[in-house]
Amino acid sequence: MSLFKDVEFMGDLDLQAPLGPEVAPKGDYDCKVLEAMEHVSKAGNTSFKVVFQVADGKFKDVTEYFNLWSENEDYKNIATQRWTKLLKAIGFKEQIEKEDELIGKKVQIALDKVEEDWLDQEGQKRTSYRNKILTFKQLENLASSDAEENPPPPF
């Protein structure tokens, strides 16, 4: 009896076809925070990792690492600015206390589609694509509800 008797063999599957969702084309997308956690790199550097679901899962998830504790002050400053923009775009008015406060929150993200060349195990040049986060924006419905709570002055 074969172990694989109930497993389909997809004979017409294209070997070059991507598995799972593809990266999003350049543009603005409604996104949701799926994961938010402290991350330690292989080099031992600590950052904060946030994974965003793009367009309800229509495209590949996007991951951003915020180097909030970098020893390089320039990197730390840039990361802190990006972090603050994310929090403000989500609707926070101050720093969060726990990372799970981000889970499930929605934000609009401007994405770029970036081409990357790399070498495979046989030394062959390969090209793949990834998304790069350009900026964070408030979702339209969040921005309009905030405007109702804080209307502009009458003058």
Side-chain angles (χ1 to χ4, degrees), residues 23-61:
V23 298
K26 183 176 182 173
D28 294 348
Y29 295 91
D30 291 353
C31 299
K32 179 172 70 173
V33 177
L34 296 178
E35 298 177 32
M37 67 189 75
E38 184 179 1
H39 175 79
V40 179
S41 70
K42 291 178 184 176
N45 299 318
T46 302
S47 63
F48 196 78
K49 175 183 172 182
V50 181
V51 178
F52 299 93
Q53 180 186 60
V54 180
D56 293 322
K58 182 177 177 184
F59 299 105
K60 187 175 181 177
D61 296 344

Side-chain angles (χ1 to χ4, degrees), residues 7-8 26 30 39 44 50 54 60-62 71 77 91 109 111 117 119-120 125 131 138 143 148:
V7 178
E8 178 186 359
K26 183 176 182 173
D30 291 353
H39 175 79
V50 181
V54 180
K60 187 175 181 177
D61 296 344
V62 175
E71 292 180 14
N77 186 41
I109 299 177
L111 295 175
D117 292 329
L119 299 178
D120 65 14
K125 181 179 169 185
N131 283 126
Q138 279 189 325
E148 290 170 12

